[in-house]
């Protein structure tokens, strides 16, 4: 049947990273029969479109289980993610939430900017059968497990290393900080909100954790042996990094490589990503224009959290609010993901696989 | 006679308002003609009467716009055979001849009314005053048509989703293509045959409007109407993305 299924295991609400990706997707949808639309024409229409499901997703577990879901595009303008457009964007996210509910999605993950609604505890999720999650717990788990894997690969001694968390007071930043505290020589914390940063750092200091913190990134970078960047800012500059520093770019969009003064001297990978070993398919198949990874079946941790929960028939609000991600929750969702053959993605950056 | 005085509005504003009323009157007369043709496609006497009533409603909208235009001495050009409006009418008639009531409903009540409701609302907000109220009131009535048809079409979709979506898709590309060309930043098929001088789209800024925003809002309302009927998003995004821009 061509019509919508009455209910879905999961839905992923998201938005596109840049106009280049959007242009490729729209022209892919148009098919080669029609003339390609230039980005300016696409810009004049794209962000007017109300949120809707764009393709179906079928994910396969190594247990043999399958989960069926959809991707709901919010049609948020990627150039309008700043605070000044927050009302417009929140309204789009709310419409996407309503759309997911209408489709009967049992668990809905809110990718990228859209998680703001759950992180901010907006009073907008009326009770209903659909459960909403930010997907931040699995994202954080993939980040920390990825970093651990990378330091093993490079023979880095974590206990003798200073680890810098950029975006330390965000939900994922706090989860990463809490995971690594006590395991490193020193925690270096950077965030934009001075008060929140100070409060968080003082809590760690009370626990006898050695911490340096600043809202000025440049003050912390030269000390860092490992950097985890989970900030969503587009104007981060990575200058004066130590030679061979390990960088996990887990922000959205992942654009740190363009800001590093000497990229050849660092080991950078895109973190927070997972790989579905038994594969997933999308229908209609827009992977030619939407899939930008060097290895197969890679996806964001936040999207994969919904898939893992769906495969487990665990339809619940798994990740919500800010600062609620515990190490136990990260271990739990990570173990569940491994059970279904969903692992930390192979290391890659814009130049390809490591 | 009250006229729009040069002291209160510029000649550019006068011209663009005249063109907007010309388009609105032409559109309403097309709607009136469509509903009148629809009468022939219906067997049920009550629905037949309802179609006549709708035709009359479109006639009264046209009359309302004409009365205002006359009062303000606007320069009105009505052209039911103009390239875009004429083609929309031809499309409608091609289904009316086949007594395809559902197709007629899709063209008149979903496609044309989505654009009418959205664009009238934008114009109403921009013009304000008496003209604004007129456009708002008519937009509200057209909105009722849109909502009424959604109920019928939703029931139709539930009977046979595959066949219904296939039919809607065909009508979408036959009809929305004309509207997409009509509302593109520049007329993709030449002069519309209704505007008095050059295309008014380039002059909309004189009254605080922008064709890109108007078209975007209209497409958004159309997309929401499709959602409301139950067309899957993965279909509607394809339909919208494949339109001329």
């Amino acid at each position: 049947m061509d019509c919508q299924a009455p209910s879905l295991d999961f839905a992923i609400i998201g938005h596109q990273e840049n106009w280049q990706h959007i242009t490729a997707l729209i022209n892919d949808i148009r098919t080669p029969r029609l003339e390609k639309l230039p980005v300016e024409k696409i810009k004049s229409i794209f962000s007017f479109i109300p949120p809707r499901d764009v393709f179906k997703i079928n994910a396969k577990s190594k247990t043999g289980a399958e989960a069926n879901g959809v991707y709901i595009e919010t049609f948020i303008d990627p150039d309008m993610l700043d605070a000044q457009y927050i009302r417009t964007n929140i309204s789009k996210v709310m419409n996407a939430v309503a759309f997911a509910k209408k489709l009967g999605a049992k668990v809905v993950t809110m990718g990228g900017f859209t998680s703001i609604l759950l992180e901010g505890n907006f009073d907008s999720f009326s009770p209903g059968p659909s459960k909403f999650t930010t997907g931040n717990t699995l994202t954080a788990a993939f980040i920390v497990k990825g970093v651990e894997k990378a330091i093993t690969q490079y023979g880095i001694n974590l206990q003798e290393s200073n680890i810098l968390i950029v975006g330390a007071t965000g939900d994922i930043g706090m989860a990463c900080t809490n995971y690594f505290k006590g395991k490193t020589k020193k925690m270096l914390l950077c965030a934009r909100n001075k008060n929140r940063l100070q409060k968080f750092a003082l809590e760690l200091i009370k626990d006898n954790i050695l911490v340096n913190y600043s809202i000025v990134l440049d003050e912390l970078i030269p000390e860092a042996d490992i950097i985890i960047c989970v900030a969503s800012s587009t104007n981060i500059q990575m200058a004066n990094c130590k030679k061979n520093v390990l960088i996990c770019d887990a922000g959205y969009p992942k654009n740190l490589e363009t800001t590093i003064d000497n990229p050849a001297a660092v080991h950078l990978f895109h973190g927070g990503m997972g790989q579905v070993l038994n594969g997933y398919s999308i229908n209609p198949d827009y992977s030619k224009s939407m899939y930008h990874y060097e290895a197969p079946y890679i996806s964001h941790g936040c999207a994969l959290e919904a898939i893992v929960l769906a495969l487990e028939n665990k339809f619940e609000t798994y990740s919500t609010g800010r600062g609620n991600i515990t190490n136990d929750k990260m271990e739990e969702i990570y173990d569940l993901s491994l059970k279904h053959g969903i692992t930390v993605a192979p290391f890659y950056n814009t130049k390809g696989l490591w | 006679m009250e006229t729009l005085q040069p002291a209160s509005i510029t000649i550019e504003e006068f011209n663009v308002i005249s063109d907007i009323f010309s388009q609105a009157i032409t559109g309403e007369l097309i709607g009136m003609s469509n509903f009148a043709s629809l009468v022939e496609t219906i067997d049920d006497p009550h629905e037949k009467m309802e179609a006549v009533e709708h035709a009359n409603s479109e006639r009264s909208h046209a009359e309302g716009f004409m009365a205002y235009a006359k009062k303000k001495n606007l320069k009105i050009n009505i052209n039911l055979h103009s390239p875009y409006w004429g083609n929309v009418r031809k499309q409608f008639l091609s289904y009316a001849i086949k007594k395809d009531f559902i197709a007629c409903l899709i063209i008149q009540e979903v496609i044309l009314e989505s654009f009418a409701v959205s664009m009238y609302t934008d114009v109403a907000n921009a013009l304000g005053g008496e003209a604004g109220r007129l456009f708002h009131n008519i937009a509200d009535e057209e909105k009722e048509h849109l909502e009424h048809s959604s109920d019928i079409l939703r029931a139709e979709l539930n009977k046979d989703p595959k066949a219904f979506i296939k039919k809607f898709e065909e009508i979408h590309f036959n009809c929305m293509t004309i509207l997409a060309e009509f509302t593109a930043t520049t007329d993709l098929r030449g002069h519309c045959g209704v505007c008095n001088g050059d295309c008014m789209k380039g002059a909309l800024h004189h009254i605080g409007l922008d064709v890109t925003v108007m078209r975007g809002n209209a497409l958004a309302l159309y997309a929401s109407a499709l959602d409301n009927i139950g067309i899957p998003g993965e279909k509607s995004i394809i339909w919208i993305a494949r339109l001329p821009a």
Side-chain angles (χ1 to χ4, degrees):
Chain A
M1 191 167 87
D2 234 343
C3 196
Q4 225 93 57
S7 74
L8 293 163
D9 297 324
F10 68 90
I12 298 164
I13 295 176
H15 58 92
Q16 300 301 305
E17 232 173 85
N18 56 51
W19 283 109
Q20 207 181 342
H21 288 178
I22 293 168
T23 305
L25 172 64
I26 296 296
N27 282 316
D28 193 9
I29 295 174
R30 282 173 69 78
T31 76
R33 269 187 313 113
L34 300 166
E35 87 281 15
K36 280 194 171 185
L37 289 183
V39 66
E40 288 311 317
K41 287 210 168 180
I42 291 170
K43 277 185 180 183
S44 74
I45 294 171
F46 183 81
S47 50
F48 285 97
I49 301 172
R52 63 204 46 249
D53 51 318
V54 174
F55 53 80
K56 295 186 187 81
I57 306 165
N58 172 269
K60 290 178 172 58
S61 161
K62 74 175 185 187
T63 66
E66 291 187 22
N68 291 300
V70 292
Y71 170 71
I72 297 173
E73 172 63 47
T74 50
F75 296 94
I76 287 174
D77 183 330
D79 294 337
M80 291 170 66
L81 288 170
D82 297 344
Q84 59 180 310
Y85 305 110
I86 199 153
R87 275 175 185 232
T88 309
N89 291 338
I90 283 178
S91 157
K92 287 210 157 222
V93 178
M94 292 302 300
N95 289 337
V97 164
F99 207 93
K101 284 181 175 179
K102 191 176 142 191
L103 291 177
K106 291 175 188 161
V107 63
V108 184
T109 197
M110 308 188 64
F113 165 87
T114 73
S115 67
I116 190 173
L117 236 64
L118 276 176
E119 283 176 34
N121 286 322
F122 280 79
D123 184 23
S124 50
F125 293 84
S126 57
S130 297
K131 302 297 175 196
F132 291 82
T133 184
T134 60
N136 285 350
T137 311
L138 189 54
T139 300
F142 282 154
I143 292 169
V144 298
K145 299 296 177 186
V147 168
E148 283 180 340
K149 198 173 158 189
I151 60 178
T152 306
Q153 192 169 321
Y154 281 103
I156 297 168
N157 185 336
L158 187 59
Q159 284 181 320
E160 291 171 12
S161 302
N162 297 328
I163 189 161
L164 166 60
I165 314 282
V166 184
T169 59
D171 192 34
I172 298 173
M174 287 173 92
C176 294
T177 305
N178 286 327
Y179 184 87
F180 283 114
K181 73 181 182 189
K183 296 175 184 165
T184 62
K185 189 169 143 193
K186 196 195 292 181
M187 297 300 294
L188 308 169
L189 307 181
C190 181
R192 279 177 296 192
N193 186 313
K194 194 176 179 178
N195 291 339
R196 209 184 282 158
L197 177 63
Q198 190 167 29
K199 192 177 165 216
F200 185 44
L202 290 176
E203 281 172 19
L204 296 173
I205 290 165
K206 260 191 215 165
D207 290 342
N208 295 319
I209 307 293
L210 194 54
V211 178
N212 270 10
Y213 63 95
S214 175
I215 57 167
V216 182
L217 186 58
D218 289 349
E219 291 175 2
L220 302 171
I221 286 180
E223 267 196 280
D225 302 296
I226 300 163
I227 300 173
I228 297 173
C229 183
V230 285
S232 56
S233 174
T234 50
N235 49 19
I236 290 172
Q237 288 298 318
M238 285 279 171
N240 302 316
C241 290
K242 271 188 186 178
K243 199 177 174 209
N244 290 328
V245 64
L246 176 70
I247 302 178
C248 170
D249 183 356
Y252 193 86
K254 299 188 190 304
N255 53 5
L256 279 189
E257 279 151 287
T258 56
T259 73
I260 294 168
D261 51 0
N262 186 8
V266 306
H267 305 297
L268 183 145
F269 72 97
H270 290 185
M273 309 297 291
Q275 187 176 37
V276 184
L277 298 180
N278 285 62
Y280 63 80
S281 58
I282 66 171
N283 181 25
D285 185 3
Y286 299 129
S287 53
K288 189 165 64 95
S289 57
M290 286 200 83
Y291 197 80
H292 309 287
Y293 310 115
E294 296 289 332
Y297 308 130
I298 287 178
S299 186
H300 289 268
C302 59
L304 294 172
E305 183 169 303
I307 291 173
V308 170
L309 293 172
L311 288 168
E312 275 294 303
N313 285 320
K314 199 174 165 69
F315 301 111
E316 59 184 67
T317 300
Y318 198 82
S319 313
T320 189
R322 187 201 294 256
N324 297 328
I325 301 173
T326 61
N327 290 351
D328 285 348
K329 287 277 259 186
M330 277 199 280
E331 295 295 352
E332 181 189 56
I333 194 78
Y334 184 64
D335 286 347
L336 291 176
S337 75
L338 292 180
K339 175 184 159 186
H340 293 288
I342 300 174
T343 64
V344 173
F347 296 127
Y348 69 92
N349 55 37
T350 52
K351 292 193 178 67
L353 290 168
W354 272 13
Chain B
M1 178 190 290
E2 265 187 74
T3 55
L4 288 171
Q5 297 300 321
S8 58
I9 62 165
T10 65
I11 185 69
E12 288 84 4
E13 288 168 341
F14 177 85
N15 285 341
V16 77
I17 292 169
S18 293
D19 286 342
I20 284 172
F21 272 82
S22 297
Q23 295 287 359
I25 294 165
T26 304
E28 292 296 337
L29 291 175
I30 290 284
M32 180 194 74
S33 310
N34 285 350
F35 275 118
S37 309
L38 194 61
V39 176
E40 284 303 306
T41 71
I42 305 167
D43 293 325
D44 181 84
H46 298 288
E47 286 180 6
K48 219 180 237 301
M49 286 188 283
E50 201 176 330
V52 172
E53 203 178 297
H54 277 209
N56 191 43
S57 158
E58 304 293 313
R59 183 194 58 77
S60 70
H61 295 164
E63 274 188 348
F65 286 136
M66 283 165 150
Y68 179 87
K70 193 176 173 192
K71 192 163 88 175
K72 301 293 181 186
N73 212 17
L74 296 176
K75 200 175 163 193
I76 296 301
N77 179 35
I78 300 167
N79 183 357
L80 302 183
H81 303 288
S82 59
Y84 297 107
W85 286 118
N87 279 340
V88 169
R89 174 83 179 127
K90 270 184 207 160
Q91 280 300 328
F92 184 91
L93 283 176
S94 70
Y95 292 100
I97 284 164
K98 291 184 269 183
K99 292 199 163 199
D100 190 339
F101 171 66
I102 292 299
C104 290
L105 211 59
I106 290 170
I107 295 173
Q108 181 58 41
E109 301 277 60
V110 181
I111 295 178
L112 291 177
E113 300 294 32
S114 291
F115 270 66
V117 170
S118 176
M119 291 190 164
Y120 286 180
T121 305
D122 286 343
V123 168
N125 292 335
L127 294 181
E130 189 189 346
R133 282 192 297 278
L134 179 64
F135 272 100
H136 263 311
N137 291 340
I138 293 175
D140 285 347
E141 287 183 30
E142 303 288 25
K143 203 173 171 187
E144 280 175 30
H145 293 181
L146 181 60
E147 283 161 7
H148 171 68
S149 67
S150 293
D151 296 338
I152 298 170
L153 294 173
R154 203 178 305 119
E156 197 64 19
L157 176 134
N158 288 333
K159 280 186 214 162
D160 185 350
K162 201 171 177 179
F164 179 83
I165 289 167
K166 193 178 169 207
K167 180 205 230 15
F168 206 132
E169 182 171 296
E170 178 199 293
I171 297 162
H172 164 88
F173 284 112
N174 286 344
C175 238
M176 275 300 293
T177 300
I178 301 168
L179 289 189
E181 287 171 342
F182 193 6
T183 55
T185 324
T186 51
D187 283 342
L188 294 175
R189 292 197 181 274
H191 193 277
C192 70
V194 175
C195 290
N196 286 292
D198 290 339
C199 176
M200 70 162 169
K201 285 183 268 191
L204 285 169
H205 65 274
H206 290 297
I207 56 163
L209 286 171
D210 178 331
V211 70
T212 305
V213 175
M214 289 180 79
R215 181 185 51 173
N217 289 339
L219 276 173
L221 187 61
Y222 174 61
S224 297
L226 296 181
D227 297 341
N228 200 22
I229 292 163
I231 305 291
E234 70 183 58
K235 284 280 174 199
S236 56
I237 186 61
I238 292 172
W239 296 358
I240 293 167
R242 289 183 185 169
L243 289 172

